[in-house]
Amino acid sequence: MCIMRFSLATITLVMSCALTSPANATVVFSDNFNSQNGGVTALNYSGFSNFSTTGNVDLVATPDFGITCAGGSGSCVDLDGSPGPGEIQTLASFSFNPWERVSFSFDVSGSQRGTLEDFNFGVRTAGGPIAFNNVKVSTAAFGNFNFANNVTSSRNFTGLGWASGQPFGNVTLRFDPGTAGSFRAYLGSGSADNIGVLIDNVSIDVAAVPEPATWMMLLAGFGLVGAALRRRGSALTQRQLI
Ligand SMILES: [Ca+2]
Ligand SMILES: [Ca+2]
């Protein structure tokens, strides 16, 4: 029985590790815009360190125009420039493999200036279409949304309306790529009246799901169970013979 207790404890340990071990998340990109342009507001800004721009977006430093960026200080991006519409897209592209999970995350708030504003976001593959599996968008404001798998060159989410007073909250797009590839992430607005949603704290991470090491632990655990059961059977046989 001692062998069995040891084995069950081992199994519990292995299963516990498999279920609770954080995925091997690697943050491959993050930008809070706070040091951009020396922390100074710039309308129709296109000098981002990590993003290209299309159309016009504004870099806004708290508390200019009555705007407070995420966390109560620092800078953020108004996606509807002077005027918009505008878009920012990561300069770098980020690679992934089929055993990994990709998450593109950012904080977004309403305009803080009395208008209902739209925005759109997504990812564009840099090396041709890929399978987007287990696509999920999580929002602090409105909960979680799951989407069907498909194979495409870009995964876009458009026409999202954010009320003026909607506070900064996280939005995360995650997907499990079916094949290796790479992508750039973007955020944009369709309106052009100088006032848009505010974006802050953009990040991208790539995590193995599950980690190969976790699978190895699971396989090792199953091996121990098999060995324990074989030893138990052998002991019973010996007792029966005695
Ligand atoms: Ca910021
Ligand atoms: Ca607008």
Side-chain angles (χ1 to χ4, degrees):
M1 289 305 292
C2 182
I3 290 173
M4 282 303 290
R5 274 199 295 271
F6 171 76
S7 297
L8 285 173
T10 304
I11 296 166
T12 303
L13 174 65
V14 168
M15 291 305 291
S16 174
C17 287
L19 293 173
T20 62
S21 176
N24 186 24
T26 301
V27 176
V28 295
F29 178 88
S30 67
D31 193 340
N32 62 17
F33 305 106
N34 292 348
S35 62
Q36 198 66 65
N37 196 41
V40 177
T41 290
L43 302 182
N44 299 332
Y45 188 68
S46 60
F48 292 97
S49 304
N50 299 315
F51 293 90
S52 60
T53 58
T54 302
N56 299 316
V57 303
D58 296 332
L59 175 68
V60 181
T62 305
D64 294 349
F65 308 114
I67 288 171
T68 301
C69 294
S73 62
S75 297
C76 48
V77 175
D78 179 343
L79 289 177
D80 183 350
S82 304
E87 179 187 289
I88 58 174
Q89 176 176 277
T90 57
L91 284 170
S93 64
F94 304 95
S95 61
F96 50 72
N97 293 295
W99 60 83
E100 293 172 326
R101 171 164 290 177
V102 176
S103 296
F104 166 39
S105 175
F106 55 91
D107 291 338
V108 55
S109 93
S111 70
Q112 304 182 9
R113 289 181 281 178
T115 58
L116 176 69
E117 295 293 341
D118 76 287
F119 74 103
N120 54 78
F121 70 97
V123 295
R124 297 177 176 121
T125 61
I130 64 138
F132 284 83
N133 298 327
N134 300 318
V135 179
K136 180 179 183 179
V137 174
S138 305
T139 74
F142 302 109
N144 303 326
F145 305 89
N146 294 296
F147 298 88
N149 301 343
N150 69 350
V151 179
T152 179
S153 293
S154 65
R155 198 69 204 232
N156 310 303
F157 300 86
T158 61
L160 301 155
W162 243 240
S164 174
Q166 185 67 48
F168 269 106
N170 181 262
V171 173
T172 298
L173 161 64
R174 79 104 202 267
F175 61 94
D176 299 340
T179 53
S182 63
F183 72 98
R184 290 183 173 85
Y186 73 90
L187 288 146
S189 169
S191 76
D193 58 7
N194 303 340
I195 298 175
V197 297
L198 303 164
I199 299 295
D200 212 338
N201 299 327
V202 180
S203 69
I204 294 168
D205 71 60
V206 180
V209 284
E211 299 173 272
T214 303
W215 281 114
M216 293 305 293
M217 289 177 69
L218 278 171
L219 291 172
F222 293 144
L224 283 170
V225 174
L229 290 175
R230 281 194 297 275
R231 282 197 291 272
R232 183 186 181 214
S234 176
L236 284 174
T237 303
Q238 288 172 25
R239 274 201 292 276
Q240 286 165 352
L241 285 173
I242 290 170

